[in-house]
Amino acid sequence: MSLPPPVPTAMPGAFDLLPGSVTLVGAGPGDPGLLTLHALRALEAAEVVLYDRLVGAGVLELVNPAALKVEVGKSAGNHSMPQEEIHALMLRHARLGLRVVRLKGGDPFVFGRGGEELEFLRAHGIAFRVVPGITAAVACAAYAGIPLTHRDHAQSVRLTTAHCRDSVDDVDWESLARERQTLAVYMGVAALEHLRERLLAAGRAPSTPFALIENGSRPEQRVVTGTLDDLPDTARAHGVASPALLVLGEVAALAGQLHWFGAAPLGAPAPALAQAA
C-alpha cells in the first residue's frame, strides 16, 4: 500500500499555524528561557496543546490561555497514554480544523518519538511542521558545567537511551565503552546496575567519572558525581530519581570545577583530569 502524496507543510508568514495542522515543538529540559522564538510563537498561537508530563510548568504558563491543554503522559517508566492514543488525539483535533501543538520535553527528534508522529500525520494527510528544542544532553550538561566535548578529554559524544523498544542487550557496548568519548544516557535511572556491568565488561575503566543530573536546568536541579564502579550505589545513596540524565566520561570530572547553576555536585569528587601534552 503506497503512502498518499506529501502534504503541504509550509506555513504562511513566519510563524502562522495553519488551521488543521500539527506542530511538534521541543520544550527543552524545563527552563522556559531555553525555548526558541519559534516555540514561543507556536505556543501563543496554539488552540490545542498536547503536552508530555515532563514539560516544565514555566513553559506551560506561556501557552495561549484560551488553548485546550491535554497532558498525554510520557515520562520514563510511566507511559500513562499509549502512543496510538496520542496519534488519535492529534488527528481528531486537526480534523476539526484546530491549530494543534504537540509539546515535548527536550527535542522531538531525540528519543521523543517525533519521527513516529510525523509518519502518522503524513499517512493521514495532516500538515505538520517541527520546532526543534534543546535536547537534555546539551542543556543539562551545560547547566551542570560539563562540556560534552573537550580538546583534551573527549572528541565525540554518543547519545543513547536505556529505555527503548529493543533490548539493551542489542547495544554495541564496545563502541559505547570507548575512552575519550562522552556518553549521555537518557532515561537510565532504573538501569544503572545493568549499565555499569555492561560498560565494565566492554572495557570501560572502573574509575571513569560520571555525573547524574536530576531535573536539569530547573530550580531543583541536583548533580551527583562519582566513578563508574560505584554508579548504582552512589545513585541509591542520594535517592536519584527521574528525570535524570547520566553523563559518563572524562569530562564529567569537570562538574566539580565548572558548576555554576544551583548547588555544588554531591557524591565523591571525580578524579582530577590530566591535561593533554
Side-chain angles (χ1 to χ4, degrees):
M1 178 179 177
S2 60
L3 290 174
V7 295
T9 58
M11 301 294 173
F15 297 100
D16 296 334
L17 305 190
L18 283 176
S21 70
V22 177
T23 303
L24 270 60
V25 174
D31 183 349
L34 296 179
L35 285 175
T36 65
L37 288 175
H38 284 44
L40 177 60
R41 291 169 186 171
L43 295 179
E44 291 173 340
E47 294 172 299
V48 177
V49 177
L50 308 176
Y51 66 95
D52 288 345
R53 179 177 291 109
L54 295 182
V55 171
V59 173
L60 292 175
E61 290 175 0
L62 300 173
V63 172
N64 172 12
L68 171 66
K69 296 193 288 290
V70 182
E71 182 185 304
V72 295
K74 296 289 201 238
S75 62
N78 186 2
H79 296 272
S80 62
M81 183 176 291
Q83 187 64 45
E84 293 74 19
E85 190 171 341
I86 296 173
H87 288 172
L89 281 173
M90 291 192 297
L91 183 62
R92 183 187 312 156
H93 291 296
R95 283 183 170 172
L96 288 173
L98 299 173
R99 296 171 175 86
V100 181
V101 164
R102 173 71 176 96
L103 186 60
K104 296 170 172 286
D107 179 86
F109 283 178
V110 181
F111 305 122
R113 301 191 181 185
E116 296 176 34
E117 294 181 358
L118 291 195
E119 288 172 331
F120 174 85
L121 294 171
R122 183 181 185 278
H124 289 81
I126 303 298
F128 57 79
R129 67 183 295 184
V130 181
V131 178
I134 300 180
T135 190
V138 173
C140 296
Y143 273 61
I146 300 171
L148 292 176
T149 63
H150 191 291
R151 286 193 299 170
D152 294 333
H153 310 300
Q155 284 69 53
S156 64
V157 183
R158 297 289 298 272
L159 308 183
T160 189
T161 175
H163 180 79
C164 57
R165 178 177 297 175
D166 299 321
S167 169
V168 291
D169 291 326
D170 294 331
V171 172
D172 182 358
W173 291 103
E174 285 72 22
S175 175
L176 295 181
R178 290 173 184 161
E179 294 184 355
R180 301 179 67 80
Q181 164 181 270
T182 304
L183 182 62
V185 183
Y186 291 66
M187 297 171 280
V189 171
L192 295 179
E193 190 83 43
H194 187 77
L195 287 167
R196 179 188 65 175
E197 291 174 1
R198 291 293 183 175
L199 290 169
L200 290 176
R204 212 32 162 131
S207 60
T208 302
F210 78 80
L212 279 162
I213 308 163
E214 184 183 82
N215 290 303
S217 86
R218 305 183 188 213
E220 64 270 29
Q221 173 178 301
R222 289 198 308 159
V223 179
V224 175
T225 59
T227 58
L228 176 59
D229 194 41
D230 297 320
L231 171 58
D233 293 336
T234 302
R236 279 192 295 269
H238 291 279
V240 175
S242 297
L245 178 86
L246 170 64
V247 177
L248 182 79
E250 289 77 9
V251 293
L254 295 171
Q257 307 170 36
L258 304 181
H259 79 271
W260 60 272
F261 179 78
L266 305 169
L273 292 175
Q275 296 296 314

